[in-house]
Amino acid sequence: MQQVHDLFLNKLVLDYDYVFCITTTRTRSGIHDNAVQASYTILNDYKPVRSAAGFNTPFMLRVIDSQNVFAGVGVPVVEAARMRAAGETPPRIRAHLENLARHTHGYMVAPDLNYLRNRIKKRGDKSVSFLSAALGTALDIKPILHCNQGETEPVAKVKGFANASERLFDFAARRVKAGLFSPTLCMSYGGPLDEMRKLPGYDRLREACAANNVEVYESFMGLSGLVNVGKGALVVAFASEHKGFD
């Protein structure tokens, strides 16, 4: 919490008038609650700092729970930047982001079920049971996990990582064609992005996004993500009406 407090008072309150802090879902991380607690002291302490720098206007800070994880956090972040560039007001941006977070869906395929289960179990997540992990590893069955509004659950089981990735890519392509709530699709991968781009179905998803004016943002999975879900995990996220996984 102190690190968040210091970052804002030493830099952000001097560089900006209004800041949105978009966090990983509070159900999977303490970052959101720490940011909320830090925001109280920041809003109490910022005035002398800004005054000393010659700023007499107020500073505003809002902490928003993305209600998602990994690439899912990127969807509201991109939307916030897009709305700011379009000249939208902070209240309109805030209301839109909070609504968008409720409709953001993140999907993940992890190659190592035993590693994934052991890590998420420590956080109280029961998306992958011991039996599922044992059988899945023995039979090379990979679950596709879904996160929305802070809750995670398996929505499909597919034999082989490549096949599971293809099914996820094709599902995402259908959602893109049906229409998203924001023109953004985010992907993250726990390895070189060239590996992800060679997975079956990837090209079809990119073609669907290009045809429907949806921007694609790809990133190497962050260190905390790699630690929690393992090397080689694939995540695809977007905001849309939820109609189940097909």
Side-chain angles (χ1 to χ4, degrees), residues 39 58 83 89 132 156:
S39 71
M83 294 184 72
T89 63
S132 294

Side-chain angles (χ1 to χ4, degrees), residues 107-111 142-145 160-161 164-165 168 232-235:
Y107 295 87
M108 181 180 74
V109 182
K142 308 301 181 187
I144 298 176
L145 303 178
F161 179 78
S165 299
L168 174 54
L234 168 68
V235 181

Side-chain angles (χ1 to χ4, degrees), residues 150-202:
E151 299 298 324
T152 56
E153 63 176 349
V155 292
K157 296 179 181 179
V158 183
K159 185 173 179 60
F161 179 78
N163 291 334
S165 299
E166 182 175 25
R167 184 167 175 186
L168 174 54
F169 284 142
D170 286 343
F171 165 76
R174 290 193 294 274
R175 283 291 179 265
V176 167
K177 293 174 183 177
L180 303 182
F181 287 175
S182 68
T184 303
L185 183 140
C186 295
M187 291 189 278
S188 61
Y189 184 71
L193 294 182
D194 284 343
E195 288 183 5
M196 178 185 73
R197 293 165 184 154
K198 293 176 182 177
L199 289 170
Y202 171 85

Side-chain angles (χ1 to χ4, degrees), residues 109-127:
V109 182
D112 189 337
L113 291 188
N114 283 321
Y115 180 89
L116 174 64
R117 178 183 178 274
N118 289 334
R119 292 299 306 180
I120 65 175
K121 184 175 66 173
K122 295 180 179 180
R123 295 177 176 269
D125 190 325
K126 299 180 180 179
S127 301

Side-chain angles (χ1 to χ4, degrees), residues 42-57:
I42 291 166
L43 293 175
N44 283 331
D45 298 344
Y46 81 83
K47 290 183 179 179
V49 177
R50 278 177 69 92
S51 294
F55 301 114
N56 296 316
T57 54

